[in-house]
Amino acid sequence: MKFTKSETVGQGLAPAVKKLLSLMLAIVMLFSITVSIDISAYALTSGDYECSVKNGTATITKYNGLESDITIPSDIDGYSVTAIGNYAFKGCWSLENVTIPDSVISIGSGAFSNCSCLISIDIPNSVTSIGNSAFFYCESLNSVTLPKNIKVIKYMMFENCKNLEKVIIPDGVTSIEFDAFDRCTSLTHITIPNSITEIGHSAFYQCENLEEVSIPDGVLCIDNYTFAICRKLKSISIPNSVKRINSKVFAVCDSLSNVYYDGTVTEWNEISFGEGNEELTNSAIFCSDGVLNCKHNFSISEIMKPVTCTVDGTIKYTCEFCNESKTETVLADGHNYDAGKITKKATCTENGTKTFTCTKCKSTKTETLKAIGHKAVTDKAVSATCTTLGKTEGRHCSVCNTVIQEQKTIPATGHGYDAGKVTKQPTVTTAGVKNYTCQVCGETKTETIPALGLKAPTMKATVNANGTFTLSWNKVSGAEKYELYIKQADGSYKLMKTTTATSFTTAFATYNKQFSYKMRAVKGNTKSAYSSVVNAKNTKKLQTPTMKATVNANGTFKLSWNKVTGADKYELYIKQANGSYKLMKTTTATSFTTAYATYNKQFSYKMRAINSKNKSIASAYSAVVSAKNTKKLQAPTMKATVNKNGTFKLSWNKVDGATSYKLYIKQANGSYKLMKTTSATSFTTAVATKGKTYSYKMVAVTSKNKNATSAYSNVVSAKRK
């Protein structure tokens, strides 16, 4: 249905007047709400929320946050949030997703109006009322499920929600007030529940994508502009409860073709369809089945006799509104052949065939294509070259390739290369190149000269006096390093050492065991052949160590010796009274310190190096070294401490070699008397006389030799106060 814009004054002003009246009514209602505010309520601010508190509950009056996703708290500072006040979230551009708690029972007028980025809002079933314009100009709002306990969809509640595609209206809602879904241009379908009895004017005004609406039984009147400019609305069902349809209800509904109605309208306004629906307006009639129709709308209902290219057919048409039918004869219009397809191609000597097919009935006809005859062309002679065959002149058909005069083959002459020239000399690791040139055609070929490679080294082995082997070899020209291999028990060789030197000395070799070695030179990834295998056997025992003895200040001896190659331990022996030597210590170290030696007695020692893996290669005994302790015990250092109970604590350091300590006390005549002999390093006296000074000294003693007794310690004095 094509719409032509009307320029009449009355039709142009009606929507503007309607909007003005709606705005004035909203202002009056807002004023009535404002003047009724209870001044006994007091304000409260908590975080991003401003509230009004009354009777122990809180109403959110303003939101100051910038979050995109919020869950409104059910409790603020101990007060249950039961309401969202008028315009509380108005113009909060950052909001995208909002969840309302189930403590809330009412949402005020304009509460979320102009929240242009709001996409979704979760409204609990605890909410029983939502004020007018609550979601006015929420342009991004996509879908809404209304709570089941509300009764009225207030005026302008979703006006200009341009992205709103889906609204679920619960059973129980009785009224959709004016402008409720005005300019919800993305709304395609809406189910109006049977509980609705009233739909206000312009309720679905300019819902341009709304395609289908079913009005429930119980609605009495369809008000002005209710579905005006619903350009995609195709059909609408009107129940028999409707008794009045007002002005321009379906104005500019360009696609509207079917209005289903099964009742009797007491007043059907002449301009109910308004501009853009002139055909419906000018010939409004009722068919017997209660369908409003402007004129018959016939469509094919039955093909009674199919039409072919050669036979006439018959088609039955039925009106989709009143079921009136008519028949029509369709004349045969003859074959309509396509451009044809070559089904057999004509050759030089045989005819071909072209087949044509009717695009309607698929019948065919054929046409003969005449043979085209041979078309001879000359095949030029080709001269033979060094590598390619030549040909004599010939002739053939350019269409079917049939040979008319055969060409004969002339053999290739072959290259005549010169003696060649070396353009790249070979090195140890890289190949060389030699180039040859054909004297006839100038073509070149190259020949690879193998890399010179590394020469295998010559190796020899020498057994050293300390039981090691020195393996040495000649320097190989071009080599970067050398790989040295040792033979394993299973006969294989294992890499033992990679070195840039031309010799290598092994560790101490197992006594009387033969070892085998081989090696090769290496440069990058290039490796020489292996050298000849060389063998070596250690027939030499461990070298005899050299030992020395030092008398320490504390009367001990330090015995030390050199490290012997191949030895893993050393045995230290001491001379006995009968002249024999006894094993005193086995150690891996190269020194050993004895205990305190008997004063003025000579001690003698010797040692040897051993290998625990082969005891037969133990070295000979070292030269005997002797040592005598001519140093007495060191004098101890003593100190005295006065205890709280009037006793003295006398203490001293432990002296190496001492077995006991003799403690002396000074007499009245100035001489010292032995007071105590003890092996401890401290002694506590009896209770001393107050005000009297006592003096003490001591010596260290060894039971092995009285002559080694130390000098007296320092004198210490103590006095009890």
Side-chain angles (χ1 to χ4, degrees):
M1 184 182 302
K2 186 176 180 181
F3 165 59
T4 303
K5 183 177 180 182
S6 174
E7 298 296 336
T8 60
V9 174
Q11 290 174 330
L13 289 177
V17 173
K18 173 182 71 70
K19 294 298 178 185
L20 181 59
L21 290 172
S22 299
L23 180 59
M24 291 175 65
L25 179 58
I27 293 171
V28 171
M29 293 185 71
L30 176 60
F31 178 76
S32 65
I33 292 170
T34 304
V35 298
S36 65
I37 294 175
D38 187 344
I39 61 173
S40 64
Y42 64 91
L44 169 68
T45 299
S46 178
D48 293 330
Y49 297 93
E50 294 181 17
C51 304
S52 173
V53 176
K54 182 180 178 182
N55 297 329
T57 62
T59 297
I60 295 176
T61 58
K62 188 176 182 182
Y63 174 69
N64 298 311
L66 294 174
E67 298 294 327
S68 58
D69 297 351
I70 66 168
T71 297
I72 297 173
S74 60
D75 180 282
I76 293 180
D77 286 3
Y79 297 102
S80 177
V81 176
T82 59
I84 298 173
N86 299 337
Y87 307 102
F89 291 86
K90 180 181 179 182
C92 290
W93 56 268
S94 63
L95 283 183
E96 294 181 5
N97 301 286
V98 176
T99 300
I100 299 174
D102 57 13
S103 62
V104 173
I105 59 175
S106 69
I107 298 173
S109 298
F112 294 94
S113 60
N114 295 97
C115 291
S116 58
C117 293
L118 183 62
I119 298 172
S120 68
I121 186 164
D122 186 1
I123 307 173
N125 286 325
S126 60
V127 174
T128 59
S129 68
I130 302 176
N132 61 280
S133 306
F135 303 102
F136 179 80
Y137 260 93
C138 290
E139 295 178 305
S140 300
L141 190 61
N142 181 261
S143 65
V144 174
T145 299
L146 295 171
K148 64 182 181 181
N149 292 319
I150 66 168
K151 300 300 181 185
V152 178
I153 298 178
K154 300 291 286 186
Y155 62 89
M156 297 192 293
M157 183 181 289
F158 294 102
E159 182 171 346
N160 253 306
C161 291
K162 295 181 179 180
N163 199 45
L164 187 62
E165 296 179 357
K166 181 179 179 183
V167 178
I168 298 177
I169 302 175
D171 289 334
V173 174
T174 60
S175 175
I176 300 175
E177 293 188 348
F178 69 86
D179 291 349
F181 296 97
D182 185 356
R183 282 172 288 175
C184 291
T185 54
S186 296
L187 195 62
T188 58
H189 295 82
I190 189 164
T191 301
I192 302 175
N194 291 329
S195 56
I196 296 290
T197 60
E198 180 182 352
I199 301 176
H201 70 77
S202 303
F204 296 96
Y205 182 84
Q206 204 171 334
C207 290
E208 294 184 344
N209 284 293
L210 190 62
E211 296 180 357
E212 185 177 341
V213 176
S214 179
I215 298 176
D217 193 14
V219 175
L220 300 176
C221 174
I222 302 176
D223 210 345
N224 300 339
Y225 301 99
T226 301
F227 297 101
I229 319 183
C230 291
R231 291 184 179 275
K232 291 190 178 180
L233 185 62
K234 297 177 181 178
S235 65
I236 187 166
S237 297
I238 303 173
N240 59 11
S241 62
V242 174
K243 301 305 179 185
R244 178 180 173 82
I245 298 177
N246 284 344
S247 175
K248 297 189 178 181
V249 173
F250 302 105
V252 199
C253 290
D254 301 336
S255 302
L256 184 62
S257 60
N258 300 322
V259 181
Y260 297 96
Y261 177 66
D262 57 2
T264 302
V265 172
T266 57
E267 182 178 355
W268 189 287
N269 194 298
E270 184 176 320
I271 57 172
S272 295
F273 294 92
E275 58 189 359
N277 294 285
E278 287 80 4
E279 293 180 356
L280 287 173
T281 304
N282 296 333
S283 58
I285 60 173
F286 291 96
C287 297
S288 58
D289 60 352
V291 178
L292 176 66
N293 185 31
C294 58
K295 58 185 177 181
H296 287 305
N297 185 14
F298 287 109
S299 60
I300 297 174
S301 60
E302 181 184 357
I303 298 176
M304 301 176 70
K305 182 181 179 183
V307 64
T308 69
C309 297
T310 57
V311 179
D312 294 343
T314 305
I315 298 176
K316 180 180 179 181
Y317 295 87
T318 303
C319 175
E320 63 177 292
F321 301 119
C322 63
N323 288 326
E324 183 177 325
S325 63
K326 66 178 182 178
T327 60
E328 181 181 292
T329 298
V330 182
L331 298 177
D333 56 1
H335 291 301
N336 182 26
Y337 288 108
D338 61 13
K341 181 179 180 180
I342 296 175
T343 51
K344 181 181 178 183
K345 190 175 181 180
T347 68
C348 297
T349 57
E350 294 183 1
N351 293 334
T353 304
K354 189 174 185 179
T355 301
F356 300 86
T357 303
C358 177
T359 59
K360 295 184 291 183
C361 67
K362 306 302 180 184
S363 64
T364 61
K365 69 176 182 177
T366 60
E367 177 183 306
T368 299
L369 303 175
K370 292 184 178 181
I372 60 177
H374 288 306
K375 186 176 181 181
V377 294
T378 300
D379 303 316
K380 293 182 179 180
V382 179
S383 298
T385 68
C386 297
T387 57
T388 60
L389 299 173
K391 289 184 179 180
T392 62
E393 186 177 273
R395 298 176 70 219
H396 74 281
C397 176
S398 62
V399 179
C400 66
N401 259 349
T402 299
V403 175
I404 300 170
Q405 178 183 332
E406 184 181 2
Q407 282 187 304
K408 294 183 179 180
T409 301
I410 304 172
T413 61
H415 289 301
Y417 289 111
D418 60 12
K421 181 180 180 181
V422 176
T423 56
K424 182 182 177 183
Q425 294 292 340
T427 68
V428 171
T429 57
T430 59
V433 177
K434 188 174 184 179
N435 288 339
Y436 298 87
T437 303
C438 177
Q439 302 299 305
V440 179
C441 65
E443 182 176 318
T444 61
K445 71 173 182 178
T446 60
E447 179 183 36
T448 300
I449 305 172
L452 300 177
L454 296 171
K455 291 184 178 180
T458 301
M459 183 170 57
K460 64 179 181 179
T462 303
V463 181
N464 299 319
N466 60 0
T468 62
F469 303 149
T470 295
L471 306 172
S472 59
W473 52 90
N474 63 299
K475 184 177 179 66
V476 176
S477 177
E480 294 175 339
K481 54 187 176 181
Y482 304 91
E483 292 178 347
L484 183 62
Y485 292 82
I486 186 170
K487 190 175 184 179
Q488 307 294 296
D490 61 1
S492 65
Y493 280 83
K494 177 182 178 183
L495 180 64
M496 180 175 74
K497 179 73 176 179
T498 299
T499 179
T500 58
T502 55
S503 65
F504 173 70
T505 299
T506 68
F508 179 83
T510 304
Y511 179 71
N512 216 29
K513 177 182 176 181
Q514 180 170 293
F515 293 84
S516 298
Y517 304 92
K518 66 179 181 179
M519 66 173 306
R520 62 182 176 183
V522 178
K523 180 175 183 179
N525 294 323
T526 302
K527 299 180 179 182
S528 73
Y530 288 102
S531 68
S532 299
V533 173
V534 295
N535 300 315
K537 182 187 290 186
N538 175 22
T539 57
K540 300 178 181 181
K541 295 189 177 185
L542 296 176
Q543 288 185 311
T544 304
T546 301
M547 183 170 57
K548 64 179 180 178
T550 304
V551 180
N552 298 320
N554 60 0
T556 62
F557 302 151
K558 181 179 180 181
L559 306 174
S560 58
W561 53 91
N562 61 298
K563 183 176 180 64
V564 176
T565 301
D568 58 5
K569 294 180 182 179
Y570 302 92
E571 291 178 346
L572 184 62
Y573 292 83
I574 187 170
K575 189 175 184 180
Q576 305 295 300
N578 60 6
S580 65
Y581 281 84
K582 177 182 178 183
L583 179 63
M584 181 175 73
K585 180 73 175 179
T586 299
T587 179
T588 58
T590 56
S591 66
F592 174 71
T593 300
T594 68
Y596 178 81
T598 304
Y599 178 72
N600 216 27
K601 178 181 177 182
Q602 181 169 296
F603 293 84
S604 296
Y605 304 93
K606 66 179 181 179
M607 67 173 303
R608 65 177 179 176
I610 63 170
N611 186 295
S612 55
K613 295 180 181 178
N614 192 342
K615 294 183 179 179
S616 62
I617 64 171
S619 72
Y621 287 103
S622 68
V624 173
V625 295
S626 298
K628 180 187 288 187
N629 177 21
T630 58
K631 299 177 181 180
K632 295 186 176 185
L633 295 177
Q634 290 183 314
T637 300
M638 186 167 59
K639 64 179 180 178
T641 305
V642 180
N643 299 320
K644 291 181 179 180
N645 61 359
T647 62
F648 303 149
K649 181 179 180 181
L650 306 174
S651 58
W652 52 91
N653 60 298
K654 183 175 179 64
V655 176
D656 288 337
T659 57
S660 61
Y661 305 90
K662 291 183 176 182
L663 183 62
Y664 294 85
I665 187 170
K666 190 175 184 180
Q667 305 296 302
N669 60 5
S671 63
Y672 281 84
K673 177 183 178 183
L674 179 62
M675 182 176 81
K676 179 72 175 179
T677 299
T678 179
S679 60
T681 56
S682 66
F683 173 71
T684 302
T685 68
V687 177
T689 304
K690 287 185 179 181
K692 182 178 178 181
T693 299
Y694 295 82
S695 296
Y696 305 92
K697 64 180 179 179
M698 67 180 304
V699 293
V701 178
T702 174
S703 58
K704 296 179 180 180
N705 193 335
K706 292 182 180 181
N707 293 327
T709 300
S710 74
Y712 284 104
S713 70
N714 58 308
V715 175
V716 295
S717 299
K719 181 179 180 181
R720 179 187 175 194
K721 295 181 180 180

